[in-house]
Amino acid sequence: MAVLHLNPENFEQTVSNGKVMVDFWAPWCMPCQSLLPTIDALGEELEGTVTVAKVNVDENKALAVKFRVMSIPTVIFFVDGVEKERLVGAYPKEKYLEIINNL
């Protein structure tokens, strides 16, 4: 599976190892929907080097609160469990790759 779906049970374990990109989203959010093909493409392209994951904020409110996600989509980049960068809003694929390459 190229893109992981995270919840409180698997979040910490997933983000604690290596580079991880987490998209906080919701099904009703139009910018989130427009970003989905980009997230899926990054998941395929980066498989094996960077973990790409999603958190549905409607189903996982506690994670959204914990990471102070106030607007969606919010993409948070982790390295070994530590937040290194965050983008709020939908951006082109190249912007996400730029951040990943600089982590």
Side-chain angles (χ1 to χ4, degrees):
M1 180 186 341
V3 178
L4 300 175
H5 294 270
L6 301 183
N7 56 50
E9 290 75 39
N10 64 4
F11 189 91
E12 293 300 327
Q13 180 181 356
T14 301
V15 301
S16 66
N17 293 313
K19 294 180 180 180
V20 182
M21 175 180 158
V22 181
D23 173 28
F24 288 81
W25 72 287
W28 49 263
C29 166
M30 287 301 110
C32 300
Q33 293 299 320
S34 71
L35 185 58
L36 281 177
T38 300
I39 297 298
D40 290 340
L42 287 168
E44 295 284 332
E45 186 175 323
L46 300 171
E47 191 166 16
T49 58
V50 176
T51 301
V52 178
K54 299 189 232 184
V55 172
N56 181 327
V57 297
D58 287 343
E59 296 173 354
N60 300 286
K61 288 180 177 58
L63 286 173
V65 170
K66 178 177 180 177
F67 290 97
R68 296 184 179 106
V69 173
M70 303 294 178
S71 297
I72 54 173
T74 293
V75 177
I76 303 178
F77 299 84
F78 295 89
V79 176
D80 297 328
V82 177
E83 180 179 336
K84 296 294 186 178
E85 186 80 47
R86 107 174 18 208
L87 287 176
V88 178
Y91 290 85
K93 180 178 160 187
E94 294 73 28
K95 180 66 176 173
Y96 299 101
L97 288 171
E98 176 187 325
I99 291 172
I100 288 165
N101 290 332
N102 290 316
L103 292 177

